């Protein structure tokens, strides 16, 4: 092999290695951007980390029929609300606890007030404790599904329509769970 051919072969290998390195870097960048939505989907499907489920009215109707065969068992639900440090709102539940029939729709009301002199848009993050209850806690309607804008001094009532899936009674991980806590934190929405 001549020195020109060897040099050409070496240049080709260097370019190929550089191309693979660039493709690997782009793949890692893509995975970095996809990680948050993929993790969110995983949590919503599995209830991991206390992520609640989003239900439809027909899902709730099916759960109510299942609950009739469950004998009207109840569970305590505790409601919690807070705001991030930079959020000039007051926010919390109207009622701190409620005893609900498993499988039956129920409603919780949260109160929010904008304490600033300008409109503020917020978004709520949420979770359920204990974490294993997240897959069984179903929200039909919730203020947390969309951003909320409050005008200066405005106070609003924010309802959450939910139910606890009767399948929770068949899960060994739910044995001994007497109370589920639904917790929200309001953050300023990004502009």
């Amino acid at each position: 092999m001549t020195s020109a051919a060897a040099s050409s072969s070496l240049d080709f290998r260097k370019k190929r290695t550089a191309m693979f390195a660039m493709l690997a870097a782009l793949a890692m960048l893509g995975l970095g951007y996809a990680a948050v939505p993929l993790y969110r989907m995983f949590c919503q499907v599995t209830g991991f980390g206390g992520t609640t489920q989003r239900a439809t009215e027909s899902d709730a109707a099916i759960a109510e029929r299942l609950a009739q065969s469950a004998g009207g068992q109840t569970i305590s639900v505790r409601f919690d609300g807070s705001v991030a440090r930079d959020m000039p709102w007051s926010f919390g539940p109207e009622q701190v606890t409620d005893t609900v029939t498993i499988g039956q729709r129920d409603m919780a009301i949260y109160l929010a007030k904008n304490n600033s002199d300008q409109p503020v848009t917020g978004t709520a993050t949420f979770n359920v404790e204990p974490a294993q209850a997240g897959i069984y806690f179903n929200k039909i309607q919730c203020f947390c599904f969309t951003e909320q804008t409050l005008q200066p001094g405005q106070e609003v009532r924010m309802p959450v329509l939910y139910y606890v899936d009767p399948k929770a009674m068949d899960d060994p991980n739910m044995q001994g769970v007497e109370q589920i806590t639904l917790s929200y934190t309001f953050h300023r929405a990004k502009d």
Side-chain angles (χ1 to χ4, degrees):
M1 187 187 282
T2 68
S3 83
S7 176
S8 175
S9 176
L10 183 62
D11 286 346
F12 174 75
R13 288 191 312 227
K14 286 181 180 177
K15 287 179 183 178
R16 185 178 62 186
T17 301
M19 183 64 76
F20 282 133
M22 173 113 49
L23 287 173
L26 288 174
M28 287 188 283
L29 182 67
L31 284 174
Y33 278 104
V36 171
L38 289 174
Y39 180 73
R40 184 177 297 133
M41 257 184 358
F42 170 76
C43 290
Q44 289 172 340
V45 169
T46 64
F48 182 76
T51 303
T52 62
Q53 304 301 298
R54 192 168 180 174
T56 64
E57 286 288 340
S58 62
D59 295 332
I62 292 168
E64 285 181 355
R65 284 195 296 278
L66 289 172
Q68 291 171 355
S69 64
Q73 288 189 346
T74 61
I75 192 163
S76 173
V77 179
R78 181 179 170 278
F79 304 101
D80 179 51
S82 62
V83 294
R85 285 190 190 136
D86 67 336
M87 189 65 164
W89 287 10
S90 302
F91 174 73
E94 186 174 68
Q95 180 179 335
V96 177
T97 60
D98 193 12
T99 300
V100 300
T101 302
I102 293 177
Q104 296 292 315
R105 285 176 250 206
D106 209 323
M107 184 183 300
I109 304 291
Y110 281 78
L111 304 174
K113 181 178 181 182
N114 181 353
N115 299 316
S116 76
D117 59 358
Q118 59 188 344
V120 177
T121 301
T123 185
T125 58
F126 54 86
N127 73 317
V128 168
E129 288 293 329
Q132 69 267 28
I135 197 165
Y136 302 111
F137 198 94
N138 294 272
K139 292 186 283 190
I140 302 164
Q141 294 176 355
C142 182
F143 57 85
C144 62
F145 294 160
T146 59
E147 291 182 345
Q148 304 294 320
T149 301
L150 298 183
Q151 298 303 314
Q154 182 181 10
E155 186 171 354
V156 296
R157 298 179 65 180
M158 298 180 167
V160 179
L161 186 59
Y162 69 94
Y163 68 92
V164 178
D165 194 320
K167 293 176 189 169
M169 297 180 335
D170 299 329
D171 186 342
N173 293 323
M174 289 293 292
Q175 297 300 317
V177 174
E178 296 177 2
Q179 185 174 68
I180 297 173
T181 300
L182 175 62
S183 182
Y184 290 98
T185 302
F186 255 103
H187 303 269
R188 263 189 198 264
K190 293 186 168 93
D191 296 331

